[in-house]
Amino acid sequence: MSETHIVDDRSKLRLLNFADQKIRMLHLTWFAFFLTFVIWFAHAPLLIHIKEALDLTTGQVKALLILNVAITIPARIVVGMLVDRYGPRIIYSSLLFISALLCIGFAFANTYEALALFRFLLGFVGAGFVIGIRMVGEWFPHHQVGTAEGIYGGWGNFGSAAGAMLLPTIALLFGGENGWRYAIVSVGVVSAIYALVFYKFARNTPKGSVYFKPKKSGGMVVTSWRAFWALILMNIPMYLALAMLAWRLSPAGVNLFSDNMMYLMWLLLVVLFVVQTHQIWRVNVEHLRAGVPEVDRYSFKQVGILNIAYFATFGSELAVISMLPLYFLETFEGLSAVEAGLLASGFAFMNLVSRPMGGWFSDKFGRRKSMLFLIAGLAVGYFLMGLMDSYWWIPLAVLVTMACSFFVQAGEGAVFAIVPLIKRSMTGQIAGMAGAYGNVGAVVYLTVLSYVEYSTFFYVISASAVLGLIAVSFLSDPKGHIVEVGEDGTVHRIAVG
């Protein structure tokens, strides 16, 4: 049995030390994720121009927003499998290049049908996050991986805010009625170029390290019958979320298509669920019947708990960011739309420091303890936001909002500080499932918002966070080593605690 090491530097991360290859890989990777978020939300700050150029109705604009996230849930699962099988270098490069072409296609769409199709397909770029989680996990030792993953996630997530600030200015510089098109095209061009840069300079692992792959492909490998049934059950909410999105696009929602089309999509989702369940059975039945050696086992309980935690953290962030400007505008009299947007932007801006801090907490104070503290803070933060009304002093409301966002995003950082420490060969799939649960959370919370008052919406998130807190209390701190078997049969021990 050999001991597999990543370069173990006990000092703090020196982010400007470009002589250190793992630091170069971190910067290379977070910028790739940053670009995926710029692409994913490039339309958002330009919607008013898009609406005018194609003479869209408000319902059609709302449909575009739903379509933008629809495919991300299954895409994160699929991309997680691909990155475990083929490695981050080729998958990230391919995703950036394909997304660049789709981005340019969206920019030059002249009909609503084309616009909707490209927006739907661009939800695929939201799976980019999963790829970097595996790559960063390969390059950093266990005592630094939380901080590194936090930097990757936080700085990359800032791409949506950066796009909102830069793209309207770029559109203005191009000028004319097609300025918005050229602004979005410029994002696609940068992404295509960076895809080639990433492919040239990125490496899946440090020199001498083994890139471990799952023994079977086509479904997540589990190591007990209990985990098998838990995996099947945990897939159901993802299909329900997709069914809910189809319902929101039907006449009951934004009326993009007919009831019959909705029923057809529901039938397709049932068929896909059956096919996926069969794949999971095919991948697992042989080794589960034979008995899984102790060396190959991992705890699926950890995966389920992280899914629930990310549902409450990233799911609530996506939901709140989409409604917060309107909330401030409608709650506090005298605010302009611009002022409300600026006040609400504080929630997203916290990503730059919050996710890295959450990862650092996890590295410094322990995985489980950090998660409990941060999700408890999230629950309190949303409860306080539920208490806010028009009588509150606006600076205090903003302070409470930003404090809440710190716990939300730091909680996200803490979740992905643990993901690479469960089973190295399946990090992509575990990250994909957790990431998909974040999107499921957003769908659920936004659906709740469509039926209740703002205050009730925040209370619902707070209550769900308490359920997440209960789940996290059963989390186990990664300790000792995880074991992976190379393709040549060599057994490797990787330190995780």
Side-chain angles (χ1 to χ4, degrees):
M1 180 181 291
S2 67
E3 190 88 16
T4 297
H5 293 285
I6 299 173
V7 179
D8 192 349
D9 179 4
R10 289 280 166 187
S11 60
K12 296 179 180 178
L13 291 182
R14 297 185 178 91
L15 294 176
L16 297 180
N17 181 18
F18 290 96
D20 185 343
Q21 193 176 14
K22 71 175 181 292
I23 297 298
R24 294 202 303 273
M25 290 302 111
L26 176 59
H27 286 299
L28 195 68
T29 308
W30 78 254
F31 191 72
F33 180 39
F34 176 93
L35 279 179
T36 65
F37 255 62
V38 176
I39 291 173
W40 197 9
F41 294 102
H43 65 298
L46 301 170
L47 273 177
I48 186 64
H49 303 293
I50 297 171
K51 184 178 181 182
E52 290 175 355
L54 278 77
D55 194 25
L56 304 181
T57 66
T58 300
Q60 288 175 321
V61 170
K62 288 182 178 179
L64 287 179
L65 299 179
I66 298 170
L67 286 168
N68 194 50
V69 298
I71 203 176
T72 310
I73 294 172
R76 287 187 164 185
I77 300 296
V78 172
V79 169
M81 293 180 185
L82 292 174
V83 72
D84 284 341
R85 185 70 181 170
Y86 299 105
R89 180 182 176 225
I90 184 66
I91 299 301
Y92 230 148
S93 300
S94 300
L95 180 136
L96 286 168
F97 195 82
I98 293 168
S99 299
L101 299 179
L102 295 174
C103 185
I104 293 169
F106 176 81
F108 287 120
N110 285 314
T111 65
Y112 178 70
E113 290 73 20
L115 207 67
L117 175 62
F118 280 112
R119 203 69 251 160
F120 172 74
L121 294 175
L122 274 165
F124 161 77
V125 78
F129 170 69
V130 173
I131 307 171
I133 292 296
R134 174 79 198 250
M135 184 161 180
V136 173
E138 293 287 339
W139 278 90
F140 287 84
H142 66 88
H143 63 277
Q144 292 181 331
V145 73
T147 308
E149 296 283 16
I151 290 168
Y152 165 72
W155 293 9
N157 252 343
F158 187 69
S160 58
M165 291 186 291
L166 293 175
L167 289 177
T169 303
I170 295 173
L172 193 63
L173 289 174
F174 277 112
E177 62 181 17
N178 288 320
W180 68 270
R181 295 184 187 274
Y182 299 130
I184 294 177
V185 165
S186 67
V187 174
V189 171
V190 171
S191 178
I193 294 171
Y194 195 74
L196 302 178
V197 171
F198 192 88
Y199 185 77
K200 179 174 175 61
F201 294 105
R203 295 294 179 267
N204 289 334
T205 63
K207 188 175 181 180
S209 294
V210 179
Y211 189 82
F212 298 105
K213 300 177 181 180
K215 293 180 178 179
K216 297 180 180 180
S217 58
M220 182 177 283
V221 175
V222 293
T223 55
S224 72
W225 283 109
R226 180 180 294 181
F228 173 83
W229 294 113
L231 174 59
I232 301 300
L233 287 174
M234 296 218 76
N235 280 330
I236 293 174
M238 292 188 280
Y239 284 93
L240 291 177
L242 291 169
M244 200 177 295
L245 286 174
W247 171 76
R248 290 181 64 192
L249 291 168
S250 74
V254 298
N255 200 24
L256 179 65
F257 48 62
S258 67
D259 282 331
N260 287 338
M261 177 61 74
M262 179 188 71
Y263 296 138
L264 181 62
M265 293 182 73
W266 284 356
L267 178 61
L268 178 62
L269 289 173
V270 170
V271 171
L272 288 175
F273 175 73
V274 171
V275 170
Q276 185 189 22
T277 301
H278 178 264
Q279 281 291 96
I280 294 170
W281 170 264
R282 182 186 62 80
V283 166
N284 287 286
V285 62
E286 185 178 337
H287 70 268
L288 288 179
R289 282 176 173 169
V292 181
E294 189 62 33
V295 70
D296 288 331
R297 290 181 177 272
Y298 73 97
S299 174
F300 187 79
K301 176 194 75 172
Q302 302 282 82
V303 179
I305 292 170
L306 294 180
N307 290 347
I308 295 168
Y310 210 60
F311 180 104
T313 53
F314 187 64
S316 67
E317 181 187 358
L318 276 183
V320 170
I321 283 175
S322 66
M323 57 72 69
L324 205 55
L326 185 61
Y327 168 75
F328 275 116
L329 188 64
E330 293 183 357
T331 302
F332 300 102
E333 293 182 9
L335 286 182
S336 69
V338 173
E339 290 170 334
L342 286 173
L343 293 177
S345 67
F347 202 99
F349 267 92
M350 290 297 290
N351 258 310
L352 286 171
V353 294
S354 301
R355 274 214 185 205
M357 283 295 291
W360 181 80
F361 280 157
S362 191
D363 289 342
K364 185 76 173 176
F365 302 111
R367 312 298 179 189
R368 179 176 173 273
K369 188 185 298 183
S370 298
M371 286 282 290
L372 287 169
F373 169 69
L374 294 170
I375 293 185
L378 178 159
V380 172
Y382 279 123
F383 181 79
L384 291 175
M385 288 182 72
L387 295 175
M388 291 192 308
D389 58 30
S390 59
Y391 296 103
W392 276 48
W393 187 39
I394 293 178
L396 178 60
V398 172
L399 183 63
V400 168
T401 300
M402 293 185 71
C404 180
S405 75
F406 170 81
F407 285 100
V408 171
Q409 294 151 6
E412 296 162 10
V415 168
F416 279 94
I418 303 173
V419 165
L421 305 178
I422 297 175
K423 186 69 173 172
R424 177 62 58 81
S425 60
M426 293 175 57
T427 297
Q429 292 174 78
I430 296 169
M433 194 171 192
Y437 257 77
N439 285 79
V440 171
V443 173
V444 171
Y445 291 137
L446 287 172
T447 301
V448 169
L449 180 61
S450 66
Y451 289 102
V452 302
E453 300 293 325
Y454 289 124
S455 59
T456 305
F457 167 73
F458 291 126
Y459 291 143
V460 167
I461 299 178
S462 179
S464 69
V466 172
L467 295 176
L469 193 63
I470 294 170
V472 170
S473 68
F474 293 95
L475 190 71
S476 301
D477 267 319
K479 293 179 181 178
H481 298 76
I482 54 176
V483 177
E484 294 286 358
V485 181
E487 293 180 342
D488 61 355
T490 306
V491 179
H492 301 257
R493 288 159 49 87
I494 305 167
V496 296

